[in-house]
Amino acid sequence: MTIRLRDLAACFEGVIPSIIATAAPDGTPNISYLSHVVLVDDERVALSNQFFSKTATNVRANPAAAVLIVDPRDGGQYRLDVTFEQTLDSGGLFEEMAIQLRATSTQVGMGAVMRLRGVDIYRVRAVQAVLAPQPGQEVSSRDVGSQLMAAATVARSVSEAADVGSIVDAVLDGLHQAFSFSHAMLLLKDPAGERLVTVGSRGYDRSGIGSEVLVGEGVIGTAAAERRPVRVSDMSRVRRFSSAVHASSDEENRTRTIALPGMPDAMSQVALPMVAHGALRGVLFVESSERLAFTKGDEAALAVVAMQAAAALALAEAEIGEGPSSGSIAVDQPVMTGRSFRVVHYAYDDSIFIDNEYLIKGVPGRLLMHLLRIHQREGRTEFTNREIRLSEELRLPDIKDNLETRLLLLRRRLEEKAAPVQLARTGRGRIRLELAGLALLEEAAGRTEG
Amino acid sequence: MLIPQELAAFMASPVMIILGTRDDALVPEIARAVGAVVHREEGSVDLMVSEWQWPQTMANIRANGQLAVTFARPSDYVSYQVKGHATIVPTTAEHTDLARRYMESMASTLGELGLEQRIVAPWLVDRDLVALRLSVQEIFVQTPGAKAGQLIERQS
C-alpha cells in the first residue's frame, strides 16, 4: 500500500524530533536531528534552516537526502526519500514557519537564538514505513467532515446572536458542544491596539474577564500580531510564563490587574486571529491538557469560526439606534432597599474599587462612573447607547466603535464580582443600572498604597 | 585518535544514537543503534544495530564503511556527532547484554520525559543484532545553538 504524506500529518506536529541524513560530495555522511518539518502538500516537505549548517551545505552539492519522521501516537517510523529543491526566505510558507518558531521560542526565552534563516523545500520521492516488531495502529486521517459540521453548527448559532454578549457566548458554548473543546477564551482588541482583553471564557476556575494580553506576547499575542493561527502540540518543554501568577482578589486589588486564566498543565494550544473588514478584532484561544489535541483540520475549522465571529461582532458594534425595551418598560425601578456601598474612582487610570474590591479600569471604569453620576443627579436607571455615545462628559473619540464591547466587559465583570451594582441589557442599544443600595461616589486623586 | 573521557562517558550513557550512511550513488540512509561500547584508547566505538530493521544501513557499511553517528541526550538536546570508517565485527555476548541494558535504561529515560513504553518500542529493536566498529576520525558539537557543527577534534 502506498502511504500518502497527508496520512502522516501527526508526524509533522513537532512532538518527536525528526532526523535527516545527507552526504557530502566526497561521500562523508552527516546525520542530524531537525527542529521543524512541515508538510507542504502530498509531494513536498519544508525544513527550517537554523542550526544544521552541514545539512544545508551538503544538499546544495548533493540534493539527495533521507528524512525519518515519527508518529507521536504510536511511535511508528517513516522514511522519506527526498530531494532538495530550493530555499525560501520570504512568502507565505516562510512566514508561517517563522511565526510558529517565534511563538514557541519567546516562551522558552530563546527568541534571539531561534531566528529562522530560511525554509528549505524538499520533493518527496517515496515514503516507506520502517519495520517494527509489533506494527502500530493503522494510520488513519481524522474525519474532516465532522470538523466541518461542527464549524457549521457554531456558525449557525453565532448568526442567530444579535448582540455582542450573545455572540461571544454562542462561540464559546459552540466550541464546547460542537467541538468538545472545554477550555476556551475569547479576547477582543483594545482600540488603542496594544492589548487584547478577555471578554469571555469557558472551563476555568475564574472567568478572567477583563484580563489582558499584550499584542505580540505568547501564543495569543503572536496570533494577534501576525494575524495567523498559532498552534502548539506539545508544551511540555515550553515554560509557561503565566503559571507563576497567582490569581486572587488580594492580588487584583494590589496590582489593579486581572490574571489571565489558563491550564497549568496545558500541552496543546491553538490561537486563531479574528479578522473582519481587514481589521484585527480579537483572538479565539483553545487549550487542552492532551498532547496533539488539535490537528491541522481543527485549526482550519476554528479559523473559520473565528472569522465569522469577528464579522458578527463588527456588525453588532456598527448597529445604531435602539430596539424596544424588554421587561419593565422604562419605569425607573425604586431602588435603595439594601445597605449603601462605596464606589471609589481613581482618575489617573479610571480604576474603580467597590467597597475596597478592585473592579475594572480604563474606559469601562469611566463608563460605570458616568452612569452612576447621572443616576445620582437624575435618579434615572435606564440609558441608551446613543446618549452614551453623544455624552460630552465622557469625551471619548474612540468609544463609538467599541461601546457594546466595553459595556459587555463591564456587565460581566460586575456579575463575576457579585457587585451591589449590576448592568442589565434591556434591548438593543438599551441598558439599565440595577442597584442593591445607595451608591456613595468618591473621587480619589492619587494611587492607593500597596 | 584518543576519545576524550567526557565524551566517552556521554556516548555510553542513555542517549539516543542515530546513524547516517550512504550508498555508492551517494543516497543517504538513516538508522538507530541500541547501545555503544567505547574503546577510548583505540579511538573506536562499537555500535549495536538491528539488521532486520535497518538492512540498507548494513548494506552501505559493507559497501563503503562511511559512517556518521549522532549521540543526543533527550532531556536537553546536548548532542555530539562523530564520523569515520566502520566495519562489521563479530557480535559478542557483551554486545548483546549491553544492547539489552541500553534498551531498558533508554525506555526508562524516555518514560521520565512522558513517552510511554508502547511509543518508544519501535525505536528500540535488537532483532538480528550486528556490531559495527567505528574508527573515529572527527568529533563535532551538534547541540542546537551557535556552536552547532563546530569541529572539536580531527585525526591528523
Side-chain angles (χ1 to χ4, degrees):
Chain A
M1 186 197 85
T2 320
I3 303 168
R4 294 177 310 177
L5 273 186
R6 82 180 87 145
D7 295 329
L8 302 178
C11 301
F12 297 94
E13 297 288 346
V15 176
I16 311 286
S18 306
I19 301 167
I20 186 164
T22 57
D26 73 352
T28 308
N30 193 78
I31 181 92
S32 175
Y33 277 104
L34 287 170
S35 58
H36 282 59
V37 181
V38 170
L39 175 64
V40 179
D41 54 35
D42 255 348
E43 279 156 12
R44 292 176 305 159
V45 293
L47 274 48
S48 65
N49 178 1
Q50 302 159 80
F51 303 127
F52 47 104
S53 54
K54 189 67 192 168
T55 297
T57 312
N58 281 355
V59 295
R60 278 153 183 80
N62 168 24
V67 170
L68 188 87
I69 56 175
V70 180
D71 189 324
R73 297 168 301 183
D74 61 6
Q77 306 180 98
Y78 300 88
R79 184 197 183 286
L80 313 182
D81 253 328
V82 301
T83 307
F84 170 70
E85 273 193 344
Q86 59 168 326
T87 299
L88 305 177
D89 55 13
S90 62
L93 188 62
F94 175 81
E95 289 302 323
E96 204 175 300
M97 288 184 80
I99 290 161
Q100 207 69 36
L101 199 62
R102 270 203 296 281
T104 49
S105 58
T106 54
Q107 295 191 3
V108 292
M110 290 183 74
V113 184
M114 307 281 272
R115 186 161 308 118
L116 187 64
R117 289 209 199 108
V119 171
D120 288 351
I121 306 294
Y122 290 76
R123 183 156 296 278
V124 179
R125 300 191 311 268
V127 183
Q128 235 182 310
V130 173
L131 285 177
Q134 292 110 13
Q137 67 208 31
E138 193 60 19
V139 172
S140 68
S141 32
R142 206 145 124 194
D143 186 4
V144 175
S146 69
Q147 292 155 338
L148 193 59
M149 282 191 282
T153 304
V154 181
R156 193 160 48 236
S157 47
V158 169
S159 66
E160 292 294 334
D163 64 282
V164 172
S166 315
I167 293 165
V168 171
D169 289 343
V171 172
L172 294 171
D173 291 336
L175 290 186
H176 191 174
Q177 284 152 16
F179 284 91
S180 298
F181 294 150
S182 52
H183 291 74
M185 283 181 241
L186 198 152
L187 302 93
L188 293 178
K189 194 178 70 112
D190 189 88
E194 299 142 13
R195 56 193 73 234
L196 299 147
V197 185
T198 309
V199 294
S201 72
R202 292 291 184 276
Y204 303 102
D205 292 346
R206 305 164 305 102
S207 74
I209 284 176
S211 57
E212 297 179 344
V213 174
L214 286 176
V215 169
E217 178 187 79
V219 169
I220 293 171
T222 305
E226 311 285 353
R227 293 197 192 188
R228 280 168 191 271
V230 176
R231 189 166 48 108
V232 182
S233 292
D234 185 352
M235 305 266 299
S236 58
R237 293 190 189 95
V238 175
R239 183 159 28 91
R240 299 265 300 156
F241 62 92
S242 62
S243 61
V245 179
H246 289 291
S248 69
S249 69
D250 280 354
E251 189 70 12
E252 282 182 6
N253 294 344
R254 195 177 62 75
T255 60
R256 300 181 181 194
T257 306
I258 302 160
L260 187 73
M263 300 179 84
D265 57 347
M267 286 294 250
S268 304
Q269 296 185 328
V270 59
L272 300 311
M274 297 167 55
V275 177
H277 274 189
L280 179 82
R281 303 266 163 180
V283 170
L284 181 61
F285 174 76
V286 188
E287 61 184 334
S288 163
S289 57
E290 282 170 35
R291 271 196 177 96
L292 295 161
F294 312 112
T295 62
K296 195 93 179 151
D298 293 327
E299 179 188 302
L302 289 170
V304 173
V305 170
M307 297 300 170
Q308 199 228 350
L313 287 168
L315 211 59
E317 280 285 5
E319 251 182 309
I320 311 284
E322 303 87 48
S325 176
S326 67
S328 55
I329 320 152
V331 177
D332 286 359
Q333 61 187 119
V335 283
M336 334 309 177
T337 45
R339 62 176 191 87
S340 61
F341 57 92
R342 209 159 66 98
V343 181
V344 182
H345 173 234
Y346 290 84
Y348 78 92
D349 66 349
D350 284 315
S351 59
I352 301 272
F353 284 70
I354 298 182
D355 286 341
N356 301 319
E357 285 278 305
Y358 172 71
L359 180 76
I360 207 157
K361 68 184 166 198
V363 175
R366 208 181 317 173
L367 272 171
L368 178 64
M369 213 54 196
H370 175 68
L371 299 176
L372 286 170
R373 277 198 208 101
I374 295 178
H375 170 70
Q376 203 170 45
R377 254 184 347 245
E378 307 172 12
R380 193 153 63 91
T381 57
E382 303 277 339
F383 301 89
T384 65
N385 288 7
R386 180 166 39 185
E387 66 170 301
I388 296 171
R389 283 197 180 94
L390 295 174
S391 160
E392 289 287 315
E393 188 182 306
L394 283 165
R395 294 186 318 273
L396 291 171
D398 62 354
I399 199 164
K400 290 199 292 290
D401 306 327
N402 287 67
L403 181 60
E404 284 276 1
T405 305
R406 261 74 182 260
L407 288 170
L408 172 70
L409 201 59
L410 179 57
R411 174 154 57 95
R412 295 263 161 105
R413 182 67 180 156
L414 287 166
E415 268 169 31
E416 179 163 72
K417 295 295 284 184
V421 52
Q422 295 285 322
L423 205 61
R425 192 174 181 278
T426 55
R428 179 154 56 82
R430 294 179 183 278
I431 49 168
R432 181 200 296 144
L433 269 186
E434 292 175 350
L435 294 102
L438 179 68
L440 305 170
L441 308 186
E442 217 175 282
E443 284 295 333
R447 293 162 181 264
T448 44
E449 289 302 312
Chain B
M1 101 189 230
L2 184 74
I3 297 173
Q5 179 74 56
E6 221 173 291
L7 179 62
F10 182 83
M11 294 196 285
S13 68
V15 289
M16 294 301 282
I17 308 170
I18 53 176
L19 277 55
T21 59
R22 50 90 182 173
D23 67 11
D24 291 341
L26 293 193
V27 175
E29 180 60 291
I30 297 169
R32 294 184 192 272
V34 284
V37 186
V38 186
H39 309 285
R40 272 192 72 221
E41 313 284 319
E42 291 93 69
S44 71
V45 187
D46 289 0
L47 299 146
M48 270 59 77
V49 180
S50 161
E51 177 151 23
W52 174 79
Q53 193 174 32
W54 309 108
Q56 185 59 45
T57 292
M58 288 307 149
N60 291 349
I61 293 292
R62 287 192 179 96
N64 59 61
Q66 292 267 24
L67 177 64
V69 185
T70 287
F71 298 83
R73 189 156 59 200
S75 59
D76 57 7
Y77 303 119
V78 166
S79 313
Y80 292 92
Q81 181 168 212
V82 296
K83 296 186 182 185
H85 191 266
T87 53
I88 292 169
V89 294
T91 312
T92 63
E94 189 199 357
H95 288 132
T96 337
D97 279 0
L98 184 108
R100 195 173 35 75
R101 284 203 305 277
Y102 169 87
M103 292 195 296
E104 282 169 13
S105 66
M106 204 66 235
S108 102
T109 301
L110 293 169
E112 285 162 24
L113 295 172
L115 292 164
E116 298 162 50
Q117 185 70 48
R118 64 174 185 90
I119 304 227
V120 307
W123 320 337
L124 303 170
V125 175
D126 64 352
R127 192 184 291 190
D128 299 343
L129 203 65
V130 172
L132 303 181
R133 180 157 299 168
L134 170 70
S135 167
V136 176
Q137 278 136 10
E138 290 172 309
I139 305 170
F140 302 87
V141 188
Q142 199 83 1
T143 310
K147 283 187 184 166
Q150 189 175 305
L151 183 74
I152 301 178
E153 237 166 287
R154 171 174 283 153
Q155 195 162 41
S156 44

